[in-house]
Every structure is written in structure tokens, then in C-alpha cells.
């Protein structure tokens, strides 16, 4: 991969080693199969044991829970390399690490951490994250899923969750629900729900034209009873799931760059070898403009991510800074994928090339984990102090 | 079972190379480096051997400036126990100078097996393993595609043109490793973190005076454009003549 700004010099030897190891894994295990998986609409679950052995799940969580204990820049580089393969593969790891392991780590009891985290790092337990509902996407505070505490201390959950990555694959779901008929968002708490629980159903989302190599499901909870210790004791209010989303969005900022880098590599190599009018198409100004724009945006995005990661490692980053990075990097990646598709001409519509797959995937990434528009409002509010959200 | 694997740090062979101003060597500025491929196979074979035996120690050794420590740490991240850095200001072109320094280090190490890649990806000399064996007075088998040890003896397979050769030899011995013997593992993220805490001993060594020095290093000539010498069957005699006399490939 072209390192036009010597960004490698901003990385430690260890960070580069992590990236290079995951890069090689993706080259060997993801790239050869992903086009076919995409067409078949199948998540390549055969790569999960290898990813676990490599240590990518929850890689920035501490070693004492069976994780790799990496810093956040190294973690970001892992996300970049996974999404260089496919957004679906990165989504799988994001959900497992940032949306399931992280809340257990941040809001769980010591027993929950010791029980779940090592098994999730080793891939023995796959998890999913249930926040979004059919009628409450950008407005999760309105959720209607309810958990009612029973006299014996157990909880009974009712509701439905939608657009849940890993939903049909997962052994456990982190389900966010309002508690005890209190409609206020401050009553929201997280529960670790085994997907084998009576009354729990996951339904594969059919007809996706994006993230086809990813499991996206709908979860239905009908009188699902879980014991008292299923509650994440330190979770409280909408702030808790939003903290998870900040973690995941951080990873997405890096991941989107990976997809952009894959497209840029494809575009530049195609431009140098595809002959039209007796010369490589890269010799034409229109294609050079495309390539120059792509390269510029990738470099800017990389610098953004490295600095964001350093801030995160120092404990100084804000959710608004993450919004800026997610919003920018996914947007430029979406544009780069589309321009690559166009540069490749008719070949660009084939699954044999990565561009259109990334292009379609990134439309989901643009929309999930805070839509592009929602991040715009977060930044707008940060600048003006005025809330432009509906409520 | 105590195994030493001697490794070399080499540039990524897919880089675009430039020659230094004095025309004698490759300009290292801007190049990415990694452990030489065959050395990676050797590390993997050594690790598998001790894992299978359930005992033993794998040590990696590399000679050169401080930058070679990155290759040593990569081996540590794959699972090697410790590393020795023989510190010099450069990697000499004369393989004998390298072999002399390695032999001095390895002689007293009590190794049952000393392994090398069959040659380095950059210099492609393939002499350091054999020279080290000779200096240590040990048996030497080169380009090994399969290796087993038991009862103080080693058995090695070597691929030949259209066949193979199986050799038996006493330990200790020096073996150089061919490709295809084992796929080097991905350094795990935990392994990368653990590598920082493993012992890496750096000791300065004095190289003997080199007996050979490069006078010039050249890049391959720029590829020339093709030439159309005619069309159809009529052009074939001319084509054959030019392939014989000009291109000299027939």
C-alpha cells in the first residue's frame, strides 16, 4: 500500500507489526473468498477461528481478560486492515469487540468479565448488540423494548431489535431496554441475553444489496426471562450504549480508510494497465484527477485517525471528535469506492473487482453507527451550542 | 533440543529499488524491510519442532545494525524464546565475514541444530550456512524440504530435479531450509506484545577484514518496447532468425 506521507513513521514498530500481521491474514484468508461470499450472501465464518487466534477480538482490552491489550492506534489499524477486506468482516469484529466485549468490560461485574471476555476473545462466544429498533434508529431514546424486574430478581424482556449485525450467529446478545415501565431514557439498561433463551428469535434480514457478506438480523424478544445477573450492573441511561457506539465509531473511522485504500490500489493498478486509445487510461487527465483526489483524501483521513487514536490513548478524545472522523472518513471512502467503480468502466460492476462491493457496503457504513446526517448535527451542536435534533 | 535460527533483514523485494550515489549498493532510503522469506520458514520449522517435542528452546540470531532488531522481534512475536543481535555498523557483502562472526557466537551455545534460510532474498548467495557449518566443523545439509530429528540424529529430504534425496546425519548439524516446508505463522497480537518483554541481547562484534567488496551494483536495463517485424506466416522465418541472432533465446 502506498504510504505517500510516510505515515508509517508516526507508528511504533509494534503498531506496524500488528498491522502487517493482520494485513497478511486478510490477504491470505479474506481476499481470495470474499467476492464469492458477497455474491452468495454469506458471512465467511470459516475465518473466525483464525481471527480469534490472531487476537483481533477486543484487541484493545486488557490482557488479564484474555485480550491482547493493544493501544488504540494498533486497534484502529486492525479495523483498517479488516475493512480493506470487506466492511462485513470489519463489522463482525467491531460488534464483537466494541459493542459486546466493551460494554461487558465497562459496565459488567467482575464475574461477568471473567466469564465472558476470555471466551469472546477466543471466538468461542460470538455476540451481537441490540439497540436499534424498527421505529427507533437515529432516535434510540424512544426505544420501546422493556425489561421488567420480577419479584425473584430475574428480568422479563419484551420488544424487537432491527439491523443487528451477527444477530443469527451470536450466542449472546447485549440487549438495551427501558426498565420497569419507565419511559424516560434514563431507565435504559443493558442485559446479557443468551440467544438460546426461550422467547428469543433472530430472523435473517433478506434482500440486502449491501453488506452481503455479513449477518444482519432482526431480534424478537417475547417474554424472555433472564436471571438477575444478566443485568450489566454499571449500565444506566442512554449514555451507556452511546459510549459503546463511540468505541465502534472510532474503529469505523479507521475501517473506512481500509476500504478506501483497497479501492485506491485497485484504481491505480487498473489505470496503469488498462489500455484505451493505445495508452494506459492513467495517462488521461480525467483519471489522474480521480486518483489525485483519492490519494489526497486517504492521506488526510489517515492523519486524522492517527491523531484521534493518540488522543484516545491519552484519554483526551471526545465523542464529537469521533463523529468528525467517522463522518469524514466514511464519506470520502464512499466517494472513493464510487470513483473507482467508474474508473474501472464496465469491469467495475463485476464481483471480481472490489470497487462495487465496497461501494455498496459503504452505503450501510454511511448509515449505521450514527448516520452521516446525525454526525453532522452532533458537530453542528458542538460548534453552535444549539441542538438541531428533532427533540 | 536447542535450536538457533540465523535470520537476515532484507528489503521488501517488491520495492522500487534505487542505487546509491557511489553506484555500489542499493539505496535503503524509503524501503520497507522484513525477515527474509526462507528465514521465516526456518523459524517456523524450529518452532514446530520444539512444540512437537514439548521441550526445547529456539533462539534467533542476526548480524547487522540496530535495525535488524525489528526482524529479531518479529521472530520473538512468532514464539521464539530469545534473540541475539550481533551488532555491526553494516551487513558485509562477504558471506565469510558473516559466517565467522556467527560461528564465534554459536560455537559455545550448545545448539543441537543451527538453521538458516537456504539463501537471503536480497543477496541470494546461499553461502553463510555452509561456511558456518565448516567453521564449526559440523555436518551441513542444504535446501531441506522436510526435517525430522530423533535420537541424536536428523533426517532431511532435499528436492532434486525430478526426484528427491533423503539424508541422515548426526546432531549437532547445520541445516538450510527451502520454501514449502512450513507456512510461517502470523505473529499473533498477543505474541507481538509479549515480544517486547522477551530477552534480546545486543553485543558488538568485530568483523574480519572482508575479502570481497562490491565495485558496482546495477538495476536491470529498462524494458524496451516490442517490435513488429511482419504479419502472418511470412514473418515466421524472420522471427526465428531474430530470436536466434538478436534475442539469442533459441
Amino acid at each position: 500500500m502506498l504510504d505517500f506521507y510516510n505515515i508509517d513513521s508516526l507508528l511504533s514498530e509494534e503498531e506496524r507489526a500488528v498491522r502487517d500481521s493482520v494485513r497478511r491474514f486478510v490477504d491470505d484468508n479474506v481476499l481470495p473468498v470474499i467476492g464469492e461470499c458477497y455474491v452468495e450472501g454469506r458471512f465467511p465464518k470459516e475465518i473466525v477461528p483464525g481471527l480469534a487466534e490472531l487476537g483481533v477480538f477486543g484487541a484493545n482490552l486488557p490482557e488479564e481478560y484474555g485480550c491482547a491489550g493493544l493501544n488504540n492506534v494498533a486497534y484502529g489499524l486492525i479495523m483498517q486492515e479488516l475493512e480493506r477486506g470487506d466492511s462485513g468482516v470489519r463489522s463482525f469484529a467491531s460488534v464483537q469487540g466494541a459493542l459486546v466485549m466493551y460494554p461487558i468490560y465497562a459496565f459488567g461485574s467482575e464475574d461477568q468479565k471473567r466469564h465472558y471476555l476470555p471466551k469472546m476473545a477466543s471466538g468461542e462466544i460470538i455476540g451481537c448488540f441490540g439497540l436499534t429498533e424498527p421505529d427507533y434508529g437515529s432516535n434510540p431514546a424512544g426505544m420501546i423494548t422493556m425489561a421488567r424486574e420480577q419479584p425473584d430478581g430475574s428480568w422479563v424482556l419484551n420488544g424487537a431489535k432491527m439491523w443487528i449485525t451477527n444477530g443469527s450467529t451470536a450466542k449472546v446478545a447485549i440487549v438495551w431496554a427501558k426498565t420497569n415501565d419507565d419511559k424516560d431514557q434514563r431507565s435504559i439498561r443493558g442485559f446479557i441475553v443468551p440467544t438460546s433463551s426461550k422467547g428469543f428469535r433472530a430472523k435473517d434480514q433478506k434482500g440486502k444489496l449491501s453488506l452481503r457478506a455479513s449477518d444482519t438480523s432482526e431480534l424478537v424478544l417475547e417474554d424472555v426471562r433472564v436471571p438477575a445477573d444478566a443485568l450489566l450492573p454499571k449500565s444506566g441511561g442512554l449514555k451507556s450504549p452511546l459510549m459503546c457506539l463511540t468505541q465502534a465509531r472510532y474503529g469505523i473511522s479507521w475501517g473506512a480508510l481500509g476500504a478506501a485504500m483497497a479501492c485506491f490500489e485497485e484504481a491505480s493498478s487498473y489505470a496503469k494497465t488498462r489500455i484505451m486509445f493505445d495508452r494506459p487510461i492513467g495517462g488521461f487527465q480525467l483519471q489522474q484527477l480521480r486518483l489525485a483526489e483519492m490519494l489526497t483524501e486517504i492521506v488526510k483521513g489517515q492523519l486524522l485517525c492517527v491523531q484521534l487514536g493518540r488522543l484516545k490513548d491519552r484519554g483526551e478524545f471526545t465523542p464529537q471528535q469521533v463523529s468528525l472522523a467517522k463522518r469524514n472518513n466514511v464519506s470520502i471512502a464512499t466517494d472513493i469506492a464510487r470513483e473507482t467503480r467508474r474508473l474501472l468502466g464496465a469491469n467495475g460492476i463485476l464481483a471480481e473487482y472490489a470497487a462495487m462491493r465496497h461501494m455498496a457496503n459503504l452505503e450501510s457504513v454511511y448509515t449505521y453507527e450514527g448516520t452521516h446526517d446525525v454526525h453532522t448535527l452532533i458537530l453542528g451542536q458542538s460548534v453552535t451550542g444549539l441542538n438541531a435534533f428533532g427533540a | 533440543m536447542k535450536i538457533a535460527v540465523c535470520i537476515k533483514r532484507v528489503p521488501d523485494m517488491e520495492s522500487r529499488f534505487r542505487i546509491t550515489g557511489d553506484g555500489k549498493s542499493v539505496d535503503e532510503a524509503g524501503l520497507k524491510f522484513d525477515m527474509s522469506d526462507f528465514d521465516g520458514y526456518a523459524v517456523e520449522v524450529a518452532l514446530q519442532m520444539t512444540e512437537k517435542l514439548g521441550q526445547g528452546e529456539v533462539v534467533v540470531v542476526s548480524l547487522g545494525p540496530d535495525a535488524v532488531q525489528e526482524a529479531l522481534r518479529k521472530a520473538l512475536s512468532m514464539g521464539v524464546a530469545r534473540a541475539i543481535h550481533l551488532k555491526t555498523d553494516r551487513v558485509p557483502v562477504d558471506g565469510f565475514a558473516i559466517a565467522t562472526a556467527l560461528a564465534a557466537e554459536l560455537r559455545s551455545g550448545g545448539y543441537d541444530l543451527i538453521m538458516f534460510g537456504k539463501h537471503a532474498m536480497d543477496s541470494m548467495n546461499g553461502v553463510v550456512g555452509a561456511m558456518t557449518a565448516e567453521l564449526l566443523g559440523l555436518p551441513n545439509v542444504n535446501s531441506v524440504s522436510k526435517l525430522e530429528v530423533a535420537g541424536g540424529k536428523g533426517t532431511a529430504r532435499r528436492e532434486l530435479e525430478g526426484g528427491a534425496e533423503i539424508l541422515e546425519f548426526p546432531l549437532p548439524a547445520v541445516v538450510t531450509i527451502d520454501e514449502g516446508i512450513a507456512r510461517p505463522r502470523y505473529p499473533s497480537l498477543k505474541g507481538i506484545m509479549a515480544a517486547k518483554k522477551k530477552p534480546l541481547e545486543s553485543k558488538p562484534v568485530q568483523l574480519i577484514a572482508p575479502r570481497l567488496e562490491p565495485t558496482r551494483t546495477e538495476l536491470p536495463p529498462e524494458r524496451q518496447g516490442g517490435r513488429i517485424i511482419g504479419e502472418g506466416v511470412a514473418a515466421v522465418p524472420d522471427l526465428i532468425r531474430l530470436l536466434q541472432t538478436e534475442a539469442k533465446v533459441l
Side-chain angles (χ1 to χ4, degrees):
Chain A
M1 177 67 211
L2 182 61
D3 181 11
F4 195 71
Y5 250 58
N6 197 10
I7 286 168
D8 267 15
S9 66
L10 300 176
L11 305 175
S12 69
E13 178 186 318
E14 201 176 286
E15 289 160 353
R16 281 184 279 117
V18 166
R19 179 200 56 200
D20 293 347
S21 204
V22 179
R23 181 170 286 179
R24 215 182 100 213
F25 180 88
V26 169
D27 284 347
D28 293 349
N29 299 285
V30 177
L31 296 183
V33 302
I34 196 65
E36 214 176 294
C37 286
Y38 197 85
V39 171
E40 290 167 6
R42 171 179 90 78
F43 172 71
K45 58 175 181 290
E46 62 273 19
I47 66 170
V48 173
L51 288 171
E53 201 173 321
L54 205 54
V56 309
F57 301 136
N60 54 348
L61 297 178
E63 289 166 82
E64 60 172 312
Y65 298 114
C67 304
L70 299 182
N71 72 14
N72 285 291
V73 171
Y75 175 81
L77 289 163
I78 296 173
M79 295 298 126
Q80 171 189 296
E81 291 309 314
L82 293 179
E83 196 149 356
R84 198 172 57 79
D86 190 81
S87 300
V89 173
R90 199 269 307 138
S91 297
F92 182 90
S94 273
V95 168
Q96 178 82 348
L99 295 181
V100 184
M101 295 172 74
Y102 171 79
I104 292 173
Y105 171 70
F107 311 123
S109 67
E110 197 54 37
D111 281 351
Q112 287 170 333
K113 289 191 235 187
R114 301 236 169 258
H115 177 73
Y116 284 105
L117 295 180
K119 287 184 182 154
M120 301 201 77
S122 70
E124 187 187 332
I125 296 181
I126 300 303
C128 67
F129 177 86
L131 175 68
T132 296
E133 300 187 356
D135 294 323
Y136 297 94
S138 291
N139 176 24
M143 70 166 63
I144 53 174
T145 296
M146 193 63 74
R148 292 183 183 86
E149 197 169 7
Q150 307 300 302
D152 65 355
S154 64
W155 293 84
V156 172
L157 283 79
N158 279 285
K161 298 290 179 182
M162 196 139 176
W163 308 115
I164 309 304
T165 299
N166 302 354
S168 298
T169 321
K171 264 193 190 170
V172 296
I174 302 292
V175 175
W176 298 92
K178 287 180 177 165
T179 47
N180 297 328
D181 294 307
D182 181 352
K183 299 255 163 60
D184 194 285
Q185 58 89 356
R186 279 171 295 193
S187 84
I188 292 173
R189 306 199 75 181
F191 296 85
I192 307 173
V193 181
T195 58
S196 57
S197 305
K198 193 162 169 267
F200 185 104
R201 274 181 300 136
K203 247 186 353 193
D204 187 31
Q205 189 74 52
K206 299 282 182 214
K208 280 187 300 172
L209 297 176
S210 172
L211 288 182
R212 287 185 52 76
S214 175
D215 158 17
T216 312
S217 299
E218 186 185 347
L219 310 181
V220 179
L221 297 97
E222 269 178 309
D223 289 329
V224 173
R225 184 182 289 268
V226 292
D229 64 5
L231 173 73
L232 291 170
K234 286 180 257 176
S235 68
L238 186 62
K239 189 169 179 289
S240 302
L242 293 187
M243 279 169 70
C244 304
L245 292 180
T246 299
Q247 301 297 316
R249 289 164 181 172
Y250 168 76
I252 292 169
S253 311
W254 283 92
L257 285 180
M261 286 156 71
C263 290
F264 175 74
E265 288 285 293
E266 186 163 89
S268 52
S269 121
Y270 193 86
K272 283 186 264 187
T273 51
R274 171 69 173 170
I275 307 291
M276 196 57 59
F277 300 108
D278 299 324
R279 57 200 284 218
I281 61 169
F284 295 104
Q285 291 184 354
L286 286 177
Q287 310 305 353
Q288 291 195 354
L289 173 64
R290 283 199 163 107
L291 295 168
E293 294 281 5
M294 289 181 196
L295 177 64
T296 306
E297 293 307 326
I298 289 172
V299 169
K300 282 152 70 179
Q302 286 172 325
L303 291 168
L304 191 59
C305 272
V306 172
Q307 170 65 358
L308 183 64
R310 298 284 177 234
L311 289 172
K312 190 173 193 296
D313 278 330
R314 295 204 296 262
E316 292 171 6
F317 86 143
T318 66
Q320 291 77 15
Q321 288 169 336
V322 179
S323 285
L324 188 149
K326 191 274 181 184
R327 180 179 181 275
N328 180 75
N329 287 6
V330 177
S331 176
I332 62 118
T334 309
D335 292 345
I336 288 168
R338 190 177 52 240
E339 290 305 318
T340 300
R341 214 284 323 134
R342 289 176 178 171
L343 183 146
L344 264 59
N347 279 323
I349 70 164
L350 296 175
E352 185 187 333
Y353 292 90
M356 191 150 176
R357 174 168 54 81
H358 283 301
M359 184 185 103
N361 279 339
L362 286 162
E363 286 298 325
S364 292
V365 182
Y366 189 91
T367 301
Y368 72 28
E369 302 272 356
T371 66
H372 186 82
D373 296 350
V374 161
H375 289 298
T376 307
L377 300 186
I378 290 172
L379 292 175
Q381 184 175 15
S382 172
V383 173
T384 63
L386 302 169
N387 174 355
F389 290 89
Chain B
M1 174 67 58
K2 192 169 172 185
I3 307 173
V5 185
C6 301
I7 65 172
K8 186 177 182 188
R9 167 185 178 265
V10 299
D12 178 351
M13 286 299 132
E14 281 169 29
S15 313
R16 277 176 85 159
F17 291 100
R18 286 187 309 266
I19 303 297
T20 49
D22 65 4
K24 287 187 182 169
S25 56
V26 169
D27 185 356
E28 295 197 349
L31 293 181
K32 304 243 187 276
F33 288 82
D34 200 351
M35 188 192 312
S36 182
D37 291 3
F38 293 110
D39 301 349
Y41 302 135
V43 169
E44 180 63 36
V45 170
L47 287 172
Q48 285 183 14
M49 201 169 271
T50 51
E51 282 161 3
K52 197 171 150 196
L53 291 169
Q55 53 98 358
E57 184 187 34
V58 182
V59 179
V60 277
V61 186
S62 191
L63 178 144
D66 283 341
V68 306
Q69 289 188 8
E70 187 164 350
L72 289 170
R73 271 190 291 271
K74 180 172 184 181
L76 293 174
S77 71
M78 289 170 73
V80 165
R82 62 189 174 89
I84 299 168
H85 171 210
L86 302 179
K87 186 172 165 147
T88 58
D89 58 351
R90 69 204 167 99
V91 180
V93 170
D94 185 354
F96 187 70
I98 301 171
T100 306
L102 286 174
E105 170 61 32
L106 297 169
R107 183 168 283 118
S108 58
Y111 298 103
D112 301 294
L113 205 51
I114 296 170
M115 287 161 71
F116 290 79
K118 74 167 178 181
H119 63 64
M121 299 310 286
D122 56 352
S123 59
M124 300 188 119
N125 254 328
V127 295
V128 177
M131 285 175 165
T132 306
E134 184 61 23
L135 288 168
L136 294 173
L138 296 178
N140 171 221
V141 191
N142 289 322
S143 297
V144 168
S145 65
K146 195 160 184 246
L147 180 64
E148 277 167 16
V149 292
K153 269 195 265 180
T155 311
R157 179 186 168 97
R158 301 179 66 248
E159 303 304 321
L160 305 175
E161 191 67 42
E165 174 179 68
I166 289 93
L167 299 153
E168 204 177 77
F169 53 91
L171 300 181
V174 176
V175 169
T176 75
I177 297 295
D178 202 350
E179 67 191 318
I181 187 166
R183 228 180 129 61
R185 62 195 64 189
Y186 308 103
S188 76
L189 310 185
K190 278 185 204 171
I192 291 168
M193 295 301 279
K196 284 191 301 186
K197 294 169 202 147
K198 290 183 178 175
L200 191 163
E201 185 189 359
S202 181
K203 35 178 134 170
V205 295
Q206 205 61 46
L207 290 168
I208 58 163
R211 302 179 304 179
L212 26 118
E213 281 295 340
T215 53
R216 210 167 69 217
T217 299
E218 290 175 350
L219 295 175
E222 288 278 330
R223 237 172 73 187
Q224 302 296 315
R227 181 153 49 105
I228 295 168
I229 55 163
E231 273 182 32
V233 181
V236 173
D238 263 350
L239 179 64
I240 290 174
R241 181 179 55 78
L242 288 170
L243 286 173
Q244 283 170 334
T245 59
E246 212 173 278
K248 297 192 168 78
V249 294
L250 289 182

